[in-house]
Amino acid sequence: MNFFTKIDIPASDLLINYKSQIAFFGSCFADNISAQFASRKFNVLANPFGTVYNPLSIAKQIKAIADGKVFGEEDVFQDMRFGNSVCLGNRSSEEYGAAPWHCWDAHSSLSGKSREECIAKLNNAATQTRDFLRNADVVFITLGTSFVYFLKSQVVANCHRQDPRLFERRMISIEEAADALKEIVESLRKIKSDWIASPDVSAVCNDERGENRKLHIVFTISPLRHMSDGAHNNTLSKATLQLAINKVIQEIASPSARNDVGAETISYFPSYEIVMDELRDYRFYDDDMIHLSKTAEGYIFERMAETYCSEKTREDIRKVEKFMKMANHRIQDESSTATATFLQKLHAEAEKLESQIAGLELNV
């Protein structure tokens, strides 16, 4: 007997292996699933500008990368909570030192103690991301919510705990979300096409993975619920994202658009549906009953591997998992003979696996 409904996932033209470059943009679910790939030593880039939940902010970030944006003074601001008249608890703002600098489009991990430090972090992230995306094979876009913060009509990815009265927060429409997703597709394809067309690489852009290494874009919706909005609004928010993705994929797959964009490289992975139907039990959630447990995250990775990896690659994954268990073994005495023998065995096994699995880098 079957005790749950297993989600049917259509066969995919996308094949991920250890040569693949995989990028993730989006909510904290993107961080969690990218970590599943990274722990198995895939080549991964995850949220270079920090966690982003809504499609408008993701589109804005990726467009900046595609346009070759250079961040400057106009893109950063000094923390409004740290003024001469501000008192934080029992301590004045002066006791905290200089007020930090932030960017509305980036996570606080890219903030800086000075304007120059913040700008340097932003431009460094932009450069590294652009270089990665030029050679990326697949980009997963993970959408968390349809609710968006606006600051005087400017889309905000991170409020940096500023005064809530500065912002307008509203649920965007299906059309607004769909337009953002189209912009994401166009920006990612621009990064790839501009790179391929450049004289330095046009003659050598093909490799054994296929002509011009087509970029695959996979949309998915985070199964994590935003219960602060209430159960009903969370449902409306997720439904808006689902309808927007469906609208974009249908339009791209239409006969008039197929030759221009490449419908076979745009798809949807049902992360949300897997949790709602296959894992509909609170034992698959963390203690807060909102975030997923490690077991659930691991199961979704397995479903992704079934969808996007060949049997050969799945066998390679099992070999790497076995090796990582050995590599993560806790060493009690680093100076002992047993430890020296163990490390020698570990390095020998690493060299063996790297010779067997093309693209694998264990770095041990």
Side-chain angles (χ1 to χ4, degrees), residues 278-301:
E278 294 188 26
L279 305 180
R280 55 164 73 191
D281 191 309
Y282 277 107
R283 64 190 166 128
F284 294 112
Y285 285 83
D286 208 342
D287 292 341
D288 61 5
M289 299 301 158
I290 294 176
H291 292 83
L292 298 182
S293 67
K294 294 299 180 184
T295 300
E297 293 170 3
Y299 180 77
I300 293 173
F301 170 80

Short mmCIF file of all heavy atoms in Angstrom, two decimals, residues 278-301:
data_model
loop_
_atom_site.label_atom_id
_atom_site.label_comp_id
_atom_site.label_asym_id
_atom_site.label_seq_id
_atom_site.Cartn_x
_atom_site.Cartn_y
_atom_site.Cartn_z
N GLU A 278 4.16 14.93 0.02
CA GLU A 278 4.94 13.76 0.41
C GLU A 278 5.38 13.82 1.88
O GLU A 278 5.53 12.79 2.53
CB GLU A 278 6.17 13.61 -0.49
CG GLU A 278 5.84 13.30 -1.95
CD GLU A 278 7.08 12.96 -2.75
OE1 GLU A 278 8.07 12.49 -2.18
OE2 GLU A 278 7.06 13.17 -3.98
N LEU A 279 5.63 15.02 2.38
CA LEU A 279 6.16 15.18 3.74
C LEU A 279 5.18 15.94 4.63
O LEU A 279 5.58 16.74 5.46
CB LEU A 279 7.51 15.92 3.70
CG LEU A 279 8.58 15.32 2.79
CD1 LEU A 279 9.85 16.15 2.86
CD2 LEU A 279 8.89 13.87 3.17
N ARG A 280 3.91 15.68 4.47
CA ARG A 280 2.90 16.43 5.22
C ARG A 280 2.79 15.93 6.65
O ARG A 280 1.78 15.36 7.08
CB ARG A 280 1.55 16.37 4.50
CG ARG A 280 1.06 14.96 4.23
CD ARG A 280 -0.41 14.95 3.89
NE ARG A 280 -0.69 15.47 2.57
CZ ARG A 280 -1.90 15.76 2.12
NH1 ARG A 280 -2.93 15.61 2.91
NH2 ARG A 280 -2.09 16.18 0.90
N ASP A 281 3.85 16.15 7.40
CA ASP A 281 3.90 15.69 8.78
C ASP A 281 4.89 16.59 9.52
O ASP A 281 5.97 16.88 9.01
CB ASP A 281 4.38 14.23 8.82
CG ASP A 281 4.21 13.61 10.21
OD1 ASP A 281 4.68 14.23 11.18
OD2 ASP A 281 3.64 12.52 10.31
N TYR A 282 4.54 17.03 10.71
CA TYR A 282 5.40 17.97 11.44
C TYR A 282 6.72 17.37 11.89
O TYR A 282 7.62 18.09 12.32
CB TYR A 282 4.64 18.55 12.64
CG TYR A 282 3.76 19.72 12.27
CD1 TYR A 282 2.38 19.59 12.23
CD2 TYR A 282 4.32 20.95 11.93
CE1 TYR A 282 1.57 20.65 11.87
CE2 TYR A 282 3.52 22.02 11.57
CZ TYR A 282 2.15 21.87 11.55
OH TYR A 282 1.36 22.93 11.18
N ARG A 283 6.87 16.07 11.79
CA ARG A 283 8.17 15.48 12.13
C ARG A 283 9.23 15.88 11.11
O ARG A 283 10.43 15.70 11.37
CB ARG A 283 8.07 13.96 12.21
CG ARG A 283 7.72 13.27 10.91
CD ARG A 283 7.42 11.80 11.12
NE ARG A 283 6.77 11.22 9.96
CZ ARG A 283 7.20 10.11 9.36
NH1 ARG A 283 8.27 9.49 9.79
NH2 ARG A 283 6.55 9.63 8.33
N PHE A 284 8.82 16.40 9.95
CA PHE A 284 9.77 16.84 8.94
C PHE A 284 10.09 18.34 9.07
O PHE A 284 10.69 18.92 8.19
CB PHE A 284 9.25 16.53 7.54
CG PHE A 284 9.15 15.06 7.27
CD1 PHE A 284 7.91 14.44 7.12
CD2 PHE A 284 10.29 14.28 7.19
CE1 PHE A 284 7.82 13.08 6.88
CE2 PHE A 284 10.21 12.91 6.95
CZ PHE A 284 8.97 12.30 6.80
N TYR A 285 9.65 18.94 10.18
CA TYR A 285 9.93 20.35 10.43
C TYR A 285 10.89 20.50 11.61
O TYR A 285 11.03 19.60 12.45
CB TYR A 285 8.63 21.11 10.72
CG TYR A 285 7.80 21.36 9.48
CD1 TYR A 285 6.94 20.38 8.99
CD2 TYR A 285 7.87 22.56 8.80
CE1 TYR A 285 6.18 20.59 7.85
CE2 TYR A 285 7.12 22.79 7.66
CZ TYR A 285 6.27 21.79 7.19
OH TYR A 285 5.53 22.01 6.05
N ASP A 286 11.52 21.67 11.66
CA ASP A 286 12.40 22.00 12.78
C ASP A 286 11.53 22.35 13.99
O ASP A 286 10.30 22.33 13.93
CB ASP A 286 13.30 23.17 12.38
CG ASP A 286 14.62 23.14 13.13
OD1 ASP A 286 14.69 22.44 14.17
OD2 ASP A 286 15.58 23.81 12.69
N ASP A 287 12.19 22.72 15.09
CA ASP A 287 11.46 22.97 16.33
C ASP A 287 10.46 24.12 16.21
O ASP A 287 9.46 24.14 16.94
CB ASP A 287 12.44 23.28 17.46
CG ASP A 287 13.27 22.06 17.84
OD1 ASP A 287 12.84 20.94 17.51
OD2 ASP A 287 14.32 22.23 18.49
N ASP A 288 10.71 25.08 15.30
CA ASP A 288 9.79 26.20 15.16
C ASP A 288 8.56 25.85 14.33
O ASP A 288 7.66 26.67 14.16
CB ASP A 288 10.49 27.42 14.55
CG ASP A 288 11.05 27.15 13.16
OD1 ASP A 288 10.80 26.06 12.61
OD2 ASP A 288 11.74 28.04 12.62
N MET A 289 8.51 24.64 13.79
CA MET A 289 7.39 24.14 12.99
C MET A 289 7.18 24.96 11.71
O MET A 289 6.12 24.91 11.10
CB MET A 289 6.08 24.11 13.80
CG MET A 289 6.15 23.21 15.00
SD MET A 289 6.51 21.50 14.52
CE MET A 289 7.17 20.82 16.03
N ILE A 290 8.19 25.68 11.29
CA ILE A 290 8.13 26.46 10.05
C ILE A 290 9.26 26.07 9.12
O ILE A 290 9.04 25.77 7.94
CB ILE A 290 8.21 27.97 10.37
CG1 ILE A 290 6.94 28.42 11.13
CG2 ILE A 290 8.36 28.79 9.08
CD1 ILE A 290 6.95 29.84 11.57
N HIS A 291 10.49 26.04 9.65
CA HIS A 291 11.62 25.62 8.84
C HIS A 291 11.66 24.09 8.75
O HIS A 291 11.10 23.39 9.61
CB HIS A 291 12.94 26.13 9.44
CG HIS A 291 13.09 27.62 9.34
ND1 HIS A 291 12.52 28.47 10.25
CD2 HIS A 291 13.74 28.38 8.43
CE1 HIS A 291 12.80 29.72 9.91
NE2 HIS A 291 13.52 29.70 8.81
N LEU A 292 12.31 23.59 7.71
CA LEU A 292 12.36 22.15 7.51
C LEU A 292 13.47 21.51 8.33
O LEU A 292 14.48 22.15 8.66
CB LEU A 292 12.59 21.84 6.03
CG LEU A 292 11.52 22.31 5.05
CD1 LEU A 292 11.89 21.86 3.64
CD2 LEU A 292 10.15 21.79 5.43
N SER A 293 13.29 20.25 8.64
CA SER A 293 14.34 19.50 9.32
C SER A 293 15.42 19.09 8.32
O SER A 293 15.22 19.17 7.10
CB SER A 293 13.75 18.24 9.96
OG SER A 293 13.31 17.33 8.94
N LYS A 294 16.56 18.68 8.83
CA LYS A 294 17.64 18.20 7.96
C LYS A 294 17.20 16.98 7.17
O LYS A 294 17.62 16.78 6.03
CB LYS A 294 18.88 17.88 8.79
CG LYS A 294 19.52 19.08 9.46
CD LYS A 294 19.98 20.10 8.42
CE LYS A 294 20.63 21.30 9.08
NZ LYS A 294 21.01 22.34 8.09
N THR A 295 16.35 16.16 7.76
CA THR A 295 15.83 14.99 7.05
C THR A 295 15.03 15.41 5.82
O THR A 295 15.19 14.85 4.73
CB THR A 295 14.94 14.15 7.98
OG1 THR A 295 15.72 13.71 9.11
CG2 THR A 295 14.39 12.94 7.26
N ALA A 296 14.19 16.43 5.98
CA ALA A 296 13.38 16.91 4.86
C ALA A 296 14.26 17.52 3.78
O ALA A 296 14.05 17.29 2.58
CB ALA A 296 12.36 17.92 5.35
N GLU A 297 15.24 18.31 4.18
CA GLU A 297 16.15 18.92 3.21
C GLU A 297 16.91 17.84 2.44
O GLU A 297 17.10 17.94 1.22
CB GLU A 297 17.13 19.86 3.92
CG GLU A 297 16.46 21.09 4.51
CD GLU A 297 17.38 21.89 5.40
OE1 GLU A 297 18.58 21.52 5.52
OE2 GLU A 297 16.93 22.88 6.00
N GLY A 298 17.35 16.80 3.16
CA GLY A 298 18.05 15.70 2.51
C GLY A 298 17.16 14.96 1.53
O GLY A 298 17.61 14.54 0.46
N TYR A 299 15.87 14.81 1.88
CA TYR A 299 14.94 14.11 0.99
C TYR A 299 14.71 14.92 -0.28
O TYR A 299 14.67 14.34 -1.39
CB TYR A 299 13.61 13.87 1.71
CG TYR A 299 12.60 13.16 0.83
CD1 TYR A 299 12.70 11.78 0.59
CD2 TYR A 299 11.56 13.85 0.24
CE1 TYR A 299 11.79 11.13 -0.22
CE2 TYR A 299 10.63 13.21 -0.57
CZ TYR A 299 10.76 11.85 -0.80
OH TYR A 299 9.86 11.21 -1.61
N ILE A 300 14.56 16.23 -0.16
CA ILE A 300 14.37 17.06 -1.34
C ILE A 300 15.62 17.00 -2.23
O ILE A 300 15.50 16.95 -3.46
CB ILE A 300 14.06 18.51 -0.93
CG1 ILE A 300 12.69 18.55 -0.25
CG2 ILE A 300 14.06 19.43 -2.16
CD1 ILE A 300 12.33 19.89 0.34
N PHE A 301 16.80 16.97 -1.62
CA PHE A 301 18.01 16.80 -2.43
C PHE A 301 17.97 15.49 -3.19
O PHE A 301 18.34 15.42 -4.37
CB PHE A 301 19.27 16.86 -1.55
CG PHE A 301 20.51 16.46 -2.29
CD1 PHE A 301 21.16 17.35 -3.13
CD2 PHE A 301 21.02 15.17 -2.19
CE1 PHE A 301 22.29 16.99 -3.84
CE2 PHE A 301 22.15 14.79 -2.89
CZ PHE A 301 22.79 15.70 -3.73
#
